Amino acid sequence: MVLSTGYNRVRTAVFISGTGSNLKSLIKFSKSKKSPISVDLIVSNNSKAIGLNYSKKFKIKKKVLNFKNKKLSENNLILILKKNKIEMICLAGFMKILSKNFIKKFKGKILNIHPSLLPKYKGLNTHMRVLKNKEKYSGCTVHFVNSRLDSGKIILQKKVKILKNETKVSLAKKILVQEHKLYSKAIMKVFNL
Ligand code: GRF
């Protein structure tokens, strides 16, 4: 594995676009004794993202970049990440697609969480599509990010059973609970812990 941790915790940035419940669970995890990472930066493309409130609550630096001009925002972001000595990136509900160039710069160091059992149901509206196809199971996946959407090497997955009267709201809720546990487990695995 490319990532390794010595005495210090690996400085990590979490990228969000919305609620940030995965961010919150990552912050909590990072504060545990066993965690190989520290969350040192929150990045959002959306200035109204509720998850940005965790910046104040947990005293973590935040940066908002609107991504209207992707190249400009990414170049800016690369400088910010360097300045903050960020070594790892966790995408957590981040709704922008990063460019090949950006991903190359952090090769093997960007993780993402996706609310489906990849390689099934890449992209958006996963729960709706899963229910439409009458799947018996769905779940979530933590994977490395490569230049193809939701296609990088899978680190860990968690399966959940779909009940008879499942709605996309109930399914999303059920999967989100698992996401919160899975992300930190996947990080432990990445560091061989
Ligand atoms: C999660 O379901 C994540 O897998 C998906 O977007 C949702 C983000 O939730 N990509 P939150 O912002 O972490 O609460």
Side-chain angles (χ1 to χ4, degrees), residues 125-138:
N125 301 319
T126 48
H127 307 310
M128 206 183 70
R129 289 185 283 137
V130 161
L131 293 177
K132 226 178 184 173
N133 285 346
K134 303 202 183 322
E135 296 281 2
K136 288 196 171 72
Y137 294 92
S138 188

Side-chain angles (χ1 to χ4, degrees), residues 112 118-119 122 143-154:
N112 182 38
L118 290 173
K122 297 171 184 174
H143 64 95
F144 286 107
V145 172
N146 65 12
S147 56
R148 281 168 295 120
L149 184 69
D150 300 328
S151 296
K153 188 170 179 258
I154 291 172

Side-chain angles (χ1 to χ4, degrees), residues 12 52 70 116 122 124 143 180:
T12 301
L52 283 170
K70 185 143 118 179
S116 81
K122 297 171 184 174
L124 297 174
H143 64 95
H180 297 157

Side-chain angles (χ1 to χ4, degrees), residues 11-115:
R11 291 178 65 83
T12 301
V14 182
F15 290 16
I16 62 164
S17 298
T19 317
S21 66
N22 276 294
L23 163 67
K24 185 183 176 196
S25 67
L26 282 175
I27 295 172
K28 292 223 156 136
F29 165 68
S30 76
K31 292 185 180 299
S32 69
K33 230 178 170 178
K34 64 178 182 187
S35 169
I37 65 156
S38 58
V39 178
D40 297 286
L41 185 67
I42 300 167
V43 172
S44 177
N45 63 301
N46 171 13
S47 61
K48 295 196 171 71
I50 296 170
L52 283 170
N53 292 328
Y54 294 120
S55 159
K56 200 168 176 195
K57 183 162 181 208
F58 293 103
K59 298 190 176 61
I60 298 170
K61 239 192 208 179
K62 67 173 176 195
K63 289 282 171 198
V64 176
L65 295 116
N66 63 23
F67 273 76
K68 276 186 186 138
N69 179 331
K70 185 143 118 179
K71 204 166 177 191
L72 214 73
S73 288
E74 283 189 347
N75 285 342
N76 209 341
L77 187 51
I78 289 166
L79 292 178
I80 293 165
L81 294 170
K82 280 209 174 120
K83 203 172 132 201
N84 286 279
K85 299 190 165 56
I86 296 300
E87 300 157 282
M88 186 169 109
I89 296 169
C90 291
L91 307 182
F94 184 63
M95 301 305 283
K96 292 284 172 191
I97 295 173
L98 296 164
S99 73
K100 274 185 187 162
N101 176 53
F102 183 94
I103 293 166
K104 219 165 77 188
K105 288 225 155 56
F106 288 89
K107 197 162 178 258
K109 298 182 177 185
I110 311 177
L111 272 54
N112 182 38
I113 188 153
H114 184 76

